[in-house]
Amino acid sequence: MNKIKQSLLILSLLIPCLATEARTKIPLTEGWMFSKTPATGEARQWNIVNVPHTWNSEDGCTPDYYRGGGRYEYRINRDTIPGDGRLFLRFEGVSQDADVEVNGRQVGNHKGAFTAFCFEITDYLTEGENKITVDVSNAPDPNIAPLEGDFTVFGGIYRPVALISLPSTCISPLDYASSGVYVTPYDISSESAKVKVKAKLDGEELANKNNLSLTVNIIDPYGEVIESKTFKCDKLKTSKAEIEGKFKIKNPVLWSDKNPALYTVKAELLNGKTSKDVVEEKFGLRNVSIDPRSGFYLNGEKHRLKGVNRHQDRKGKGWAISNKDHDEDMSMIKAMGANAIRLAHYPHSSYFYDLCDKEGMLVWAEVPFVGHGTESREFSDNISEQLRELIHQNYNRPSIFCWGLFNEIGNENMTPVVELLNSIAHEEDPSRFTVAATNQDNKSFNNVPDFIAYNTYPGWYWADPSTMGAAIDWKSNERGVGISEYGAGGSVKCHDQNISSAPKTDGSYHPEEWQSKVHEGNYAEIKKHPHVWGTFVWNMFDFASGGRKEGDTNGMNDKGLVTYDRKTPKDAYYFYQAEWSDTPVMHITSKRHEIREEDTTPVKIYTNCKNPLLMVNGEILGSPDSFDGVVAQWNSIALQQGENLVEVTGEYEDKKISDNCRWIKK
Ligand code: GCB
């Protein structure tokens, strides 16, 4: 290439960049100053922290963990922020009441710990250094949901914060802090699908004579632009406007757990030919339906929801977790073979919903209406706002199939609030079901959502594990039934191979073996009732509940299939893995019960292999006494004094799969 050609090429590559007033997102992560509200008469103590941050990482598992105020300050120099248009502050989650000031001037307040909020701060900034102050409180407040719940309400700016620089007219970041672009797929089949795209625009130029237009491209999962339309914006006559267009997609790739194909909508605001602002959003094309008599359907085919519940906290970090932590949670859920998650009891982080979209998880998303509410206008306004934010912020996600309206509310005076939420959900999003999780039969609020599911704990809080069958029969009616929670506490430090009835649930002794028995017994019944549209294990991970005093650690709910630090999957994890996953599983249970006193022991394994065989101390002991395809048991195996090597093998396709452990007989 000669020199002139080369310079022309470089110039042509540069021109569009120079001409673009790009949207810039600056994460505000490091260098926040933080101070807890001091006691009267004391001086403020400041520390430098990174956001995400919580002030309860140390005390979140204690009954009187700090629920009060904290102040954050961040200094930013205007000259370092690119762009000369508009500036916005976007918080992904602050628990739970946040007052934002810039240079001492009040910008806005947000009530609700789990949804994002965005404030414009253009006119609050000055040249040079600026101070952002965020006064946060997680003190109980009768007007901010949740008012109760079996979980710690960690305080702080516990999700990311960003400064967003946008051109003076832009795709709005202010519509319930959503992306400003909403995609509604409809009439979906394997031959064709339609999508309606709505973009919210914001800026003075729209109101006047202008040369603005919005180009919307639909990009298929392989990266090809398959549809493109341009909408003129020169006659909008208002500074806030909505542009809506319809698109047809031929031979769509449907989104499913096996192939979570994601399309992209790219909305670009242009001034003449110059790009002003671009937003890209992922969406998926799928049909979900529930038949009360036969269960859940995905793209017209019966689809068994193999579900777990998830809380967002983990050891040492509380709610202030990183994307790596989210990735780890998702990979453990996936590896277990689950294909559905109830993200309890509140909106989770957008990063985790992204993972659900990418991994083909079907998601129950819900608002934090837990236990009880009040009849005050402030309360119903607050929970309504949290629902609107949840829906607007997550509208495009194929993973989310329903909006959960409440969890275990107890009093029928809350029925009008549930009715209000139900109508908001349908109005904001006619394409998804409403659901709720109840623990009470025959209550008027159960009839409000489209579908109702039960939190029920046979084998733990009541009766024995096999009673799950009777519970399902009893609760099934013409609206079908879901099981939103079931499970049992389990400690990896307590063992009893021969346990035959529930331990004291509020005691400290929660043998891991009983948790396993509850899941085996409950799940055997669930399998016999394929009309149940979805079931969700309570819980995937142990979680903090400051006031609890039971199991091996105070302040914890130990019903997780995995420990709070994510380091140890309990035996019941492998039970579900053997039931659900497509990879070979061979797992000896009670491995951790290393020191034995009895002369004989049962040996129980969870496996999806064929022909399991047991060997103890090199001696082949043959096939199990019982084997139902997942649970195999040898009832009474003699142990020798001292160390015993226990080995099991099985066949998975043409592979030999094995597991082993050592038990010491004292
Ligand atoms: C429930 C609640 C959940 C609790 C769980 C339990 O039904 O919905 O928030 O954590 O029971 O472990 O008791």
Side-chain angles (χ1 to χ4, degrees):
M1 200 184 307
N2 68 32
K3 279 246 153 71
I4 300 177
K5 266 196 182 160
Q6 205 174 2
S7 322
L8 280 176
L9 180 69
I10 293 172
L11 206 64
S12 70
L13 287 173
L14 275 176
I15 283 167
C17 304
L18 294 175
T20 303
E21 293 178 69
R23 162 182 288 254
T24 319
K25 188 172 158 192
I26 306 165
L28 306 185
T29 308
E30 285 164 19
W32 286 83
M33 299 292 291
F34 169 69
S35 149
K36 251 189 204 176
T37 304
T40 357
E42 274 177 22
R44 275 197 179 276
Q45 304 281 321
W46 290 96
N47 288 310
I48 300 178
V49 300
N50 286 352
V51 158
H53 171 260
T54 175
W55 54 69
N56 297 118
S57 54
E58 308 266 299
D59 67 354
C61 297
T62 59
D64 30 8
Y65 66 96
Y66 179 68
R67 291 197 73 172
R71 175 170 294 172
Y72 294 84
E73 285 185 3
Y74 191 87
R75 277 161 213 272
I76 190 158
N77 192 316
R78 177 69 185 87
D79 312 337
T80 62
I81 309 170
D84 52 8
R86 298 165 68 184
L87 292 167
F88 300 83
L89 265 181
R90 189 173 190 279
F91 295 82
E92 289 190 25
V94 181
S95 175
Q96 61 173 355
D97 193 344
D99 265 318
V100 180
E101 283 182 2
V102 172
N103 298 327
R105 283 171 64 203
Q106 165 88 18
V107 174
N109 169 269
H110 183 263
K111 293 186 194 319
F114 311 101
T115 37
F117 55 98
C118 186
F119 296 135
E120 176 155 17
I121 55 164
T122 318
D123 296 338
Y124 294 79
L125 294 173
T126 57
E127 275 173 25
E129 187 160 278
N130 289 269
K131 186 170 85 175
I132 299 165
T133 308
V134 192
D135 270 313
V136 183
S137 168
N138 68 338
D141 182 330
N143 297 326
I144 306 178
L147 302 192
E148 66 176 75
D150 175 25
F151 56 93
T152 297
V153 176
F154 291 87
I157 304 183
Y158 76 92
R159 287 190 193 149
V161 184
L163 186 71
I164 303 171
S165 166
L166 288 178
S168 51
T169 295
C170 55
I171 298 170
S172 178
L174 294 175
D175 193 50
Y176 295 98
S178 74
S179 68
V181 176
Y182 299 94
V183 188
T184 312
Y186 60 107
D187 289 352
I188 303 158
S189 71
S190 49
E191 283 82 49
S192 71
K194 293 181 186 148
V195 287
K196 198 165 75 190
V197 178
K198 186 162 82 185
K200 300 248 179 176
L201 306 180
D202 190 318
E204 288 306 324
E205 282 158 280
L206 296 167
N208 307 318
K209 195 166 172 316
N210 69 59
N211 198 16
L212 297 172
S213 63
L214 185 81
T215 296
V216 177
N217 287 338
I218 306 286
I219 301 162
D220 73 12
Y222 313 106
E224 292 288 317
V225 176
I226 50 166
E227 280 285 319
S228 181
K229 285 187 184 170
T230 296
F231 305 87
K232 287 269 191 211
C233 304
D234 54 351
K235 297 216 168 56
L236 297 175
K237 296 201 171 88
T238 150
S239 62
K240 290 194 179 14
E242 248 177 58
I243 299 282
E244 195 172 292
K246 289 187 175 152
F247 298 83
K248 199 162 173 188
I249 299 175
K250 279 195 225 118
N251 303 318
V253 190
L254 299 189
W255 182 96
S256 72
D257 59 331
K258 298 275 175 308
N259 182 20
L262 292 175
Y263 284 76
T264 306
V265 62
K266 181 176 174 196
E268 181 165 26
L269 185 66
L270 296 135
N271 187 9
K273 290 209 160 72
T274 309
S275 178
K276 279 180 85 67
D277 192 15
V278 183
V279 166
E280 289 194 10
E281 278 285 284
K282 298 282 180 208
F283 68 97
L285 302 168
R286 89 291 181 268
N287 284 311
V288 295
S289 58
I290 290 175
D291 181 334
R293 286 152 309 164
S294 56
F296 194 93
Y297 289 77
L298 176 62
N299 298 327
E301 279 173 25
K302 174 94 169 104
H303 190 70
R304 184 182 272 272
L305 291 188
K306 303 164 184 169
V308 293
N309 281 271
R310 176 200 187 230
H311 264 300
Q312 64 183 352
D313 57 309
R314 64 163 57 204
K315 191 170 181 184
K317 293 188 171 183
W319 287 352
I321 59 176
S322 66
N323 289 351
K324 212 166 134 246
D325 298 327
H326 286 298
D327 289 337
E328 186 180 37
D329 281 11
M330 177 54 87
S331 70
M332 294 190 98
I333 293 171
K334 271 218 84 157
M336 198 175 77
N339 62 11
I341 315 179
R342 175 173 172 231
L343 289 172
H345 284 314
Y346 40 73
H348 283 228
S349 98
S350 62
Y351 185 83
F352 198 79
Y353 292 119
D354 283 349
L355 291 177
C356 293
D357 288 340
K358 284 187 213 151
E359 298 294 351
M361 291 286 161
L362 281 149
V363 170
W364 164 329
E366 70 189 27
V367 283
F369 189 8
V370 186
H372 77 275
T374 74
E375 286 170 273
S376 76
R377 181 66 196 269
E378 287 82 356
F379 177 80
S380 64
D381 281 356
N382 177 261
I383 191 70
S384 303
E385 185 77 357
Q386 294 200 48
L387 177 61
R388 284 206 168 87
E389 291 172 332
L390 169 70
I391 295 176
H392 281 252
Q393 290 166 21
N394 297 290
Y395 187 86
N396 301 332
R397 302 187 177 286
S399 56
I400 297 178
F401 72 93
C402 64
W403 304 117
L405 304 182
F406 66 80
N407 180 71
E408 292 196 358
I409 52 171
N411 192 326
E412 286 189 298
N413 67 354
M414 284 297 102
T415 303
V417 182
V418 180
E419 283 167 347
L420 173 68
L421 295 180
N422 195 48
S423 61
I424 291 173
H426 284 136
E427 194 182 289
E428 296 287 357
D429 181 4
S431 75
R432 288 184 176 90
F433 315 125
T434 55
V435 297
T438 191
N439 61 343
Q440 312 222 9
D441 294 311
N442 306 320
K443 289 284 186 207
S444 55
F445 46 68
N446 291 349
N447 300 327
V448 178
D450 300 332
F451 296 100
I452 191 75
Y454 287 83
N455 297 343
T456 185
Y457 288 85
W460 188 247
Y461 292 128
W462 59 281
D464 65 83
S466 68
T467 325
M468 178 61 100
I472 292 174
D473 292 336
W474 165 251
K475 290 168 196 306
S476 299
N477 60 22
E478 67 288 350
R479 295 170 68 221
V481 72
I483 301 295
S484 31
E485 293 176 20
Y486 66 102
S491 161
V492 293
K493 295 180 190 152
C494 295
H495 298 285
D496 181 351
Q497 264 74 33
N498 301 313
I499 191 160
S500 58
S501 62
K504 251 174 114 261
T505 56
D506 57 0
S508 60
Y509 183 65
H510 287 176
E512 189 178 1
E513 287 74 14
W514 184 253
Q515 181 190 42
S516 303
K517 282 200 172 159
V518 169
H519 284 289
E520 287 172 30
N522 284 183
Y523 201 69
E525 293 302 316
I526 287 170
K527 282 200 291 190
K528 289 185 208 153
H529 294 80
H531 73 281
V532 178
W533 55 262
T535 58
F536 300 84
V537 172
W538 190 260
N539 195 293
M540 182 67 200
F541 305 104
D542 288 349
F543 59 92
S545 179
R548 273 201 185 250
K549 211 169 170 225
E550 59 178 55
D552 62 32
T553 312
N554 289 345
M556 295 295 308
N557 185 315
D558 63 355
K559 295 189 191 69
L561 300 178
V562 178
T563 51
Y564 196 35
D565 58 8
R566 279 39 176 186
K567 290 211 163 51
T568 315
K570 302 178 192 175
D571 284 341
Y573 174 97
Y574 295 97
F575 167 70
Y576 285 104
Q577 195 177 42
E579 282 281 356
W580 291 345
S581 103
D582 295 331
T583 51
V585 179
M586 175 59 78
H587 175 78
I588 302 174
T589 66
S590 301
K591 268 188 199 171
R592 280 174 279 271
H593 190 190
E594 224 185 324
I595 309 296
R596 302 305 186 100
E597 267 151 26
E598 297 86 16
D599 297 334
T600 61
T601 180
V603 176
K604 185 167 79 178
I605 60 166
Y606 296 140
T607 186
N608 52 9
C609 299
K610 293 206 167 65
N611 303 324
L613 285 179
L614 174 68
M615 242 177 12
V616 176
N617 299 324
E619 188 188 341
I620 299 176
L621 297 177
S623 309
D625 296 314
S626 59
F627 182 35
D628 63 7
V630 168
V631 187
Q633 179 158 305
W634 292 262
N635 292 335
S636 181
I637 298 298
L639 296 176
Q640 68 188 19
Q641 205 61 26
E643 190 173 286
N644 291 267
L645 174 63
V646 181
E647 294 168 280
V648 283
T649 56
E651 295 149 22
Y652 191 92
E653 290 158 3
D654 55 355
K655 287 191 266 314
K656 200 165 207 162
I657 310 296
S658 62
D659 191 22
N660 65 68
C661 69
R662 281 169 205 275
W663 288 328
I664 318 283
K665 163 94 202 319
K666 287 271 178 202

